[in-house]
Amino acid sequence: MTMKDLNKIVLDIRERQRIKPSANDRPAASWIGKDLVDGEIIDSLTIIFRTSGCYWGCAGGCTMCGYVYDSAAESPDDDDIHSQLEHALKKASDLEKMVVKIFTSGSFLDENEISRKSRENILLRLKEDDRIAKVIVETRPEFVTDQTMDDCMDLIAGKPFEIAVGLETSSDKIRSESINKGFSFRDFVRASEIAKVRGITTKAYLLLKPPFISEGMAVNDIIRSVNDIYPYADTVSINLCNVQKGTLVEMLWERKQFRPPWLWSIVEILHRTKSAHPDIVIMSDPVGAGSQRGPHNCKICSRDVADAVRNFSLTQDIRVLESVSCECRYLWEKIIELDDYTYGAPITV
Amino acid sequence: MTMKDLNKIVLDIRERQRIKPSANDRPAASWIGKDLVDGEIIDSLTIIFRTSGCYWGCAGGCTMCGYVYDSAAESPDDDDIHSQLEHALKKASDLEKMVVKIFTSGSFLDENEISRKSRENILLRLKEDDRIAKVIVETRPEFVTDQTMDDCMDLIAGKPFEIAVGLETSSDKIRSESINKGFSFRDFVRASEIAKVRGITTKAYLLLKPPFISEGMAVNDIIRSVNDIYPYADTVSINLCNVQKGTLVEMLWERKQFRPPWLWSIVEILHRTKSAHPDIVIMSDPVGAGSQRGPHNCKICSRDVADAVRNFSLTQDIRVLESVSCECRYLWEKIIELDDYTYGAPITV
Amino acid sequence: MTRYFEVLQSDGAARIGEMILKRKIQTPSIIDVSYFRDPENPIVDAGSLWNISPEDADANVKDLRTSTGDDTLIILPHQAIPPVILHENSDVNEMMPEDSGAYGCLYRGWTSDNIDLYIMEAAGAFDNNAKKFFEKIVEIRNTIPFDTALYAPAIALPENVAMLAYLGIDLMDSTKTILASYRDLYLTSEGMQYLDRLSEFPCRCSACNGADISDIVSMAGPDRQEFLKQHNLNVLEAEMAYVRERIREETLREYIEGQCRARPWLTALLRLSDRECSYAESNTQVVRSVEMIANTSESLTRPEVVRFADRVVDRYAPPLADVLVILPCSAKKPYSISPSHQQFIRALGKHRKYVNELILTSPLGIVPRELEIAYPAAHYDISVTGQWSADEFEWVSSRLYSYLCSNDYGSVVAHVDGPYRKICETVAQKLGIRIICTSNGNATSKESLSNLKGTVSSLLKDESVTGIKKTEEMLRSIADFQFGKGAGKMLLPDGAVIKGPYPKYQIYVDKSQVATLVPQYGMLALTLKGADLILPSNSYIVTIDDFIPRGSILSPGVIKADTRIRPMDEVIVQGPRIIGVGRALMGGKQMTQSTRGIAVDLRHVRKY
Amino acid sequence: MTRYFEVLQSDGAARIGEMILKRKIQTPSIIDVSYFRDPENPIVDAGSLWNISPEDADANVKDLRTSTGDDTLIILPHQAIPPVILHENSDVNEMMPEDSGAYGCLYRGWTSDNIDLYIMEAAGAFDNNAKKFFEKIVEIRNTIPFDTALYAPAIALPENVAMLAYLGIDLMDSTKTILASYRDLYLTSEGMQYLDRLSEFPCRCSACNGADISDIVSMAGPDRQEFLKQHNLNVLEAEMAYVRERIREETLREYIEGQCRARPWLTALLRLSDRECSYAESNTQVVRSVEMIANTSESLTRPEVVRFADRVVDRYAPPLADVLVILPCSAKKPYSISPSHQQFIRALGKHRKYVNELILTSPLGIVPRELEIAYPAAHYDISVTGQWSADEFEWVSSRLYSYLCSNDYGSVVAHVDGPYRKICETVAQKLGIRIICTSNGNATSKESLSNLKGTVSSLLKDESVTGIKKTEEMLRSIADFQFGKGAGKMLLPDGAVIKGPYPKYQIYVDKSQVATLVPQYGMLALTLKGADLILPSNSYIVTIDDFIPRGSILSPGVIKADTRIRPMDEVIVQGPRIIGVGRALMGGKQMTQSTRGIAVDLRHVRKY
């Protein structure tokens, strides 16, 4: 299988989807949450801008990513982006201190999504709000250049700034042939280094259990990835692969050829990586936990275990991971043992 | 079930048979054998006269008896009977000493089968032959009267004479409702007593395993019968029920509702009865042993066990019964245990 | 009638029961006759009349009763004969017991209140004779009370106990299995093989597990036979237990449709039983909690299928329409929620309320849209290969034919392809009518769907009249299907109000709820008000004695019951002082025959 | 081609084989993948390319080979993907091993001499998808050599191993069974159930025997799961062993015709396999030592039946006659020794040599009298209920129809009743011919028999010509049936002498014996002289290399073989220096593909 094959399949799936019409002056989503910043738990405002969409996703893109369907049918103009920002900030009007996390379902730094003008507007607006303690923007690494980083640092002017990159894994093989991500580990390292010299921190998103990968290999891949990225990432956030509409992962899942990761897997990963690297922040928000499309254990324990994962993410205290148990853990252990040898038909129980 | 029902069924079967045409001046059968007379093994001449047939059998008769089909289509006349006798005696021309056993497939003393004249001729002829040490004639008990016995004793004049009666069992129930024999145990006792007072000995034929009777009940029935007839019989000969053509027994056997007795059963019977009554002669000739229609054990041992039974009959030595063994004896033991509770479907393995 | 046996659960003619003896026996069960001599055994045999005199036999029975107590079942003295011999039904009468306690006897055509167990005389002789065996069982079961046990001696083997249980045998014995062991036969639930023909043990029972076949073969006779006996009895007991589990699960039918292939005569028994459908049907539950798997040619004749087809003819009357639209079935059920039917429904659009819809399907034949939720229309699964067997073709055709014979339409539209279409054409030709085909080979293609829409639209003459009220008619049809023709109109008179989203409908009349549709089974559950409404139809009524029931009605309390009632049917309970509604747990006939067991699980009751 | 796997016995696509590794594995077999990491295991996995680089993988293989030796099978590094993803057949090529030893790899459309085991990629994902699974198996089996093993990972359960083996899978694993244990599922060869839904253990395996269900249910997780694992593995292993026994017995087909009812997709697999008949037929033995049980609707489409029917059309030519007499089948076989056929034959009397006789029967369709002794015409048993299914009716009708289409008769007499007669009438109508019925409803009644006699007598135009030599024609027909049309005339030229009582015929030509009819199978066994006679037909010839064989021909020695050869076929062996006759133990195609195993069991051989 070549990368071209995989991209072709993903693109075919994409082309069968309908994109729902939506208002361009509202963000795709925005919400208030909690986040860990410099050892302190503070409020966070997450904004997902509606843009013309991820250029990579529009050309096919990642096998698990359905965010591309959040993009606008017609490109929002700078006024629309402005309205989106104000709409989101209104939700945070009651907060006293917060971190702002900006996503676009693509790359914030891609000028085809967010024009230079809008980028300036946004960063200036955030700089001016004193309640905002930190700004995090997500981007693919190719948009992390000396130029863009200098621009951002000029605009945000001393406020802590972080770039978040969906690295997914340190394995180029998996990133290429399973995720179809379109960049290499070296690209990430380069971006991280460009940021670091400017005092910009880097957050790496990892993806637990991309398609085709057994549960056990997935766990090992993340643990290895954390080791690999340790020098380049200040924060590691592990996303648990869930089944998004209109993705290759969904197609596999519908045919029982994919199962989202077990929550025991993330418990295991967090426990082992945090023990090995107590100095970096390792977090995971198990989105959709407990549902068939999301990471899940059995029906009895999924909620508790997901809570423990969230709790750990805020506290970084591995003892919270040791407090959960359930009989289904034996099943998970057995799956870890056997799933390596199913030769293409992952265990989906 | 009443006796009438049973007789009706037997008669229906009879009526479906064809009687083969045969020569009236030849006996139905005759052969040379060995027999035990007064503790001595001597040669025997058996003659089965062809007559108009057993009156009881012609009217239905016994459920296991197919000898009725040996009867002549037209009654042989006295000349025919004479020829039959001479034909048989010719076979014995080489013998020095012998016992003569006369059968008719019915009753030798029934004048409708053997006229008074023929009876006289036969007995006189036998009396005159000095080689003949003893004469045995078979008859149903109703023909054993003071008159017939006196007649015979007159004719045979001092030569040992014996009547042989097919009592089959001492159980009137079985004789009536299983065998459909048409006389009672009292009839036999009376006949035996009539004979005894004249110095005539009595031989009783018993039938091992008439229809409807389990293997175990059949064994017990014979043992009980031997005890019952002990005072009335000088010799006991146990016939092992075999499957004769044109009988109810055959009809049952074809439908797997009858199995001829096991040879182990006769071994057991001989052993137990001889041990209990060492002073009477108990014999058995397992006719047709080893075949599916005859008494049989397994294929491996049937021949040897039948030989042991014959050997015992001549020697009356129970040690010969102890000399045979085979694995199928365990099966037979199990059948004895279980066959009482099959409620109408005998074990036919 | 019985005091020492109770039927706890039925699945067609098969049932789970209990012999309430000194040691309880769950039936269907295997017993060992070699203990029949042992007075400690729960079942003892008083002896054969071939062997003992009637007087001794009588004394024997009395002695046994005295020494064992009432809760030992005594098999009365018997004089058994093989089936070749005809017999009068007389000779055991004199052996009737007068005292109390559990008794069994040979079945000879008569019954008595004191008998808990009947023995099928010479059952073992019927081995391999499917016709006679089946006829005998039906004769006996139709004569003896429902809640007496039936024992078939000397016939059971692992390969046939499932079928014996399916036909309604409660007790079997280990006789043939034990004897096989002494003949060096190694049994399985599929047959038997001589030990020395095996290369390995195809079993992990407590005897075989770890055993080496060459060691066993070279053992001395008694040891080898003992090994075989252990294995063979393990297999027999395991199979019997498995059969009990399948009865409890209500899936014995599915099991025997496969297992009966072990021997031709077992397959013949299944087919004979289906041909004499009423025997099994009369006690087959109307709904099951499990899917119906239709996986063999015999699935077309199983009681549930035949009953459904019969009821469509006898109880269903389509709402008045001039156009019939014939549609193919779908894998997802009820059909109307499947993607394909969603498209058909969209295509019919506003015209839909002027047409009848009929779905063609194997094994059910035809399913009117109104009944698509009734069991088993929404509850079956089949093997899909895209081809239909001649039997399926013939069966579905015959159903469509008889439907079209009794229902007149101005136009018949068939929106079907492949074998479905061939069926429509065959039936049309036979009836000499025209059926308009609207599918181009793919019923869900745009072209086909627009063809369907256009055709139906052009066929409808006058859409100004009020169309069919689909939901109302569906519920009426289900009521008819459940309680007989006419019940729907009684339960849903004009003006009845229907609430709730599909399919969780509730029916209100004069603001009172009269019934609820239970989607799981596709059946209506009545309220007392609903019972009042359909009471005049005199259907599905269980009449009880003068008492106030709570929770459930035990069968001795039942005086009369509609013989159409089947287990799981919704019934109306009526007594001198009460009316109630509930779910039958026995058939109507069984309720009146039984002296033990729950007849009706009562939901609501009202005193007068 | 393979060095570490050998097929020992075949039964259709199923086979008994042996993996000749450090620990021998009899196949079909269950393996435990959790030992794939253990270098002591006979099969080890060299790792996933998702996980390790090609260079590391390569080193891995080399290390494993060094540390384990040649008789450990190494599964080559793989990068497996689910079936949804299409893939090129390229990426594993570079992983081809160069050194010696046993290797396995994912099947990707190519084969290599060094591979003993192919893995059906993502087999587990085909669960429940009969069509795709079957197509994949056929594709693989038709690509890889006959004597390589095929492993279907992560799909086996006790309920499906019989079908997997039937379709030709050699290795399966315990993965799904073990996982079920951790999900509280209790497996049987018929399906599964949650432990807490059971009332008792329907099993006497070493785990269940004596176990109390409530004790087990209340056990702690690990103990309970361990219990279930023991039971479930017992069931899986027992079922696998049972399947092996049925293959050895050559009765796997009979078993799966019942067992496949456990799941709709298994039944669908059976039907699909029958529809694609050549897959199983191409390696189905021509005769079996056991009766053929035809007990399901699928029995009509089993390879033996289809082959027989095909050969009647393709290979059989009736001896010239103007009158055809159609007769019903009989329970006793060959038909002509049955009481009913004895009566028919007597009734036909001297006219018989002027007519052809054709027997109607399910499942075989039609059996010409000449072929009544050929397998399976004299070797089948069916369930008798007196009624025919629509499928039987259609099948037999179609056979009769095609026979009458290709054979012209002046008159056709049908001496049959009931469904047989209806078949004749249907076919006559379809063909527009007249069939004279001579039975009055009971073919063996005096009236019917005299009717038959009279009718046939009156139809015969000219009896002065020589009639058919029945025995000669029977033997010619059997020769044609076995070796193809024309062989009969070659083997029995005019003047051939037939000795021996029916059916133990010996054929002599010029005073030398040329063949014997083996009654058990209804097949001709050739002498060398017989081989000489039919050699020019160029049929059923196995060409071997230049060596002098003794006793048996091993497959590596086979250069060419008639692809029509099936296991148990009579074949002629020809080499540069010898001619021989014997019995094939493999199909012709398999002989040329295999590097191990006996191809032909030689009876006679002659050097030139």
Side-chain angles (χ1 to χ4, degrees), chain C residues 288-516:
Chain C
R288 302 190 300 167
S289 53
V290 287
E291 236 185 1
M292 186 183 90
I293 308 291
N295 235 350
T296 70
S297 57
E298 288 79 7
S299 302
L300 297 172
T301 52
R302 59 183 287 168
E304 290 88 343
V305 169
V306 173
R307 174 164 57 202
F308 184 89
D310 285 349
R311 288 196 179 182
V312 168
V313 171
D314 299 339
R315 299 190 175 185
Y316 169 74
L320 214 64
D322 191 51
V323 174
L324 175 71
V325 177
I326 299 173
L327 298 168
C329 60
S330 60
K332 198 165 182 179
K333 297 179 188 74
Y335 307 123
S336 59
I337 66 163
S338 73
S340 60
H341 278 246
Q342 286 283 314
Q343 290 182 279
F344 304 149
I345 289 169
R346 263 200 301 274
L348 290 171
K350 65 187 167 110
H351 308 306
R352 188 169 175 236
K353 64 175 183 241
Y354 302 101
V355 305
N356 284 167
E357 295 161 65
L358 194 68
I359 294 102
L360 297 189
T361 175
S362 173
L364 291 181
I366 53 170
V367 178
R369 174 71 78 197
E370 289 80 10
L371 295 177
E372 66 170 16
I373 203 170
Y375 192 89
H379 314 75
Y380 68 95
D381 194 8
I382 55 168
S383 320
V384 180
T385 62
Q387 290 198 351
W388 284 37
S389 74
D391 284 296
E392 286 172 306
F393 190 91
E394 196 170 85
W395 165 246
V396 178
S397 300
S398 78
R399 295 296 90 201
L400 179 61
Y401 178 82
S402 92
Y403 180 88
L404 289 174
C405 281
S406 45
N407 295 291
D408 273 340
Y409 290 98
S411 323
V412 178
V413 174
H415 191 70
V416 293
D417 304 301
Y420 297 96
R421 178 155 175 177
K422 222 177 138 209
I423 285 171
C424 291
E425 286 165 356
T426 306
V427 171
Q429 197 186 1
K430 198 168 165 200
L431 281 167
I433 62 168
R434 184 168 160 251
I435 290 184
I436 306 160
C437 294
T438 49
S439 176
N440 66 355
N442 174 6
T444 55
S445 72
K446 269 189 186 168
E447 192 193 329
S448 296
L449 291 168
S450 105
N451 210 351
L452 172 65
K453 183 178 185 167
T455 304
V456 170
S457 157
S458 70
L459 289 170
L460 292 170
K461 284 160 193 163
D462 182 8
E463 293 202 1
S464 63
V465 299
T466 324
I468 299 162
K469 288 177 179 163
K470 288 278 177 181
T471 307
E472 203 171 297
E473 290 301 336
M474 165 184 163
L475 292 167
R476 279 185 183 150
S477 297
I478 292 171
D480 283 356
F481 186 78
Q482 242 177 286
F483 302 109
K485 233 174 213 172
K489 278 274 182 194
M490 297 168 89
L491 196 62
L492 284 91
D494 292 332
V497 174
I498 299 159
K499 298 185 185 172
Y502 174 89
K504 295 182 190 171
Y505 292 130
Q506 292 153 15
I507 307 168
Y508 289 80
V509 173
D510 299 337
K511 301 202 170 137
S512 306
Q513 191 176 349
V514 297
T516 311

Side-chain angles (χ1 to χ4, degrees), chain B residues 167-330:
Chain B
L167 172 65
E168 317 302 5
T169 167
S170 64
S171 159
D172 284 343
K173 173 125 197 165
I174 292 176
R175 200 178 324 91
S176 159
E177 297 183 26
S178 156
I179 305 175
N180 191 36
K181 191 85 194 186
F183 65 76
S184 70
F185 186 52
R186 286 172 54 102
D187 295 333
F188 167 79
V189 168
R190 192 192 41 75
S192 157
E193 282 166 346
I194 288 171
K196 196 176 209 168
V197 295
R198 290 168 176 82
I200 300 172
T201 54
T202 298
K203 179 178 196 170
Y205 285 109
L206 296 179
L207 178 70
L208 175 59
K209 208 173 176 193
F212 321 149
I213 309 299
S214 72
E215 191 81 22
M217 278 195 271
V219 168
N220 288 334
D221 176 56
I222 296 299
I223 291 170
R224 187 172 48 202
S225 294
V226 172
N227 288 338
D228 290 342
I229 66 177
Y230 174 58
Y232 312 109
D234 302 277
T235 307
V236 175
S237 178
I238 303 168
N239 287 326
L240 277 50
C241 190
N242 56 26
V243 179
Q244 300 182 358
K245 289 211 192 292
T247 61
L248 175 68
V249 163
E250 185 188 45
M251 189 172 163
L252 290 165
W253 174 78
E254 281 171 343
R255 287 163 181 75
K256 299 202 173 170
Q257 294 167 25
F258 177 77
R259 187 209 190 274
W262 284 73
L263 291 165
W264 293 124
S265 291
I266 185 64
V267 167
E268 177 80 6
I269 287 166
L270 293 175
H271 197 281
R272 283 171 59 185
T273 54
K274 186 67 190 179
S275 303
H277 307 291
D279 49 339
I280 56 167
V281 174
I282 303 172
M283 49 175 58
S284 177
D285 181 16
V287 176
S291 80
Q292 285 301 304
R293 284 178 173 262
H296 59 277
N297 288 347
C298 72
K299 281 177 190 165
I300 299 166
C301 73
S302 285
R303 176 195 289 253
D304 292 345
V305 178
D307 284 347
V309 169
R310 288 191 197 97
N311 193 357
F312 168 84
S313 297
L314 291 176
T315 63
Q316 297 290 299
D317 180 353
I318 61 172
R319 283 171 305 181
V320 306
L321 300 173
E322 289 161 1
S323 69
V324 283
S325 71
C326 179
E327 282 190 355
C328 75
R329 188 171 171 114
Y330 306 110

Side-chain angles (χ1 to χ4, degrees), chain C residues 5 7 9-11 13-17 27-28 141 146 148-149 168 170 247:
Chain C
F5 180 66
V7 176
Q9 194 191 338
S10 297
D11 183 19
R15 60 264 195 92
I16 294 290
T27 65
R141 270 269 160 247
F146 174 67
T148 48
D170 302 297
I247 298 173

Side-chain angles (χ1 to χ4, degrees), chain C residues 1 141-142 144-147 588-595:
Chain C
M1 314 270 190
R141 270 269 160 247
N142 284 340
I144 66 176
F146 174 67
D147 60 346
K589 199 175 147 206
Q590 287 74 28
M591 288 179 192
T592 51
Q593 277 186 359
S594 299
T595 46

Side-chain angles (χ1 to χ4, degrees), chain C residues 72-84:
Chain C
T72 292
L73 187 137
I74 298 173
I75 294 173
L76 292 172
H78 44 86
Q79 188 178 335
I81 43 179
V84 160

Side-chain angles (χ1 to χ4, degrees), chain C residues 3-4 8 24 49 138 150 169 172 182 193 201 234 266 268 275 336 363 365 384 391 396 414 522 575 588 596 598 600:
Chain C
R3 294 156 296 170
Y4 298 93
L8 303 172
K24 287 188 178 175
L49 293 168
V138 172
L150 179 56
I169 305 290
M172 309 161 209
Y182 287 85
Q193 185 56 280
F201 289 125
N234 273 340
L266 300 174
R275 208 184 297 169
S336 59
V384 180
D391 284 296
V396 178
R596 280 184 164 274
I598 299 172
V600 180

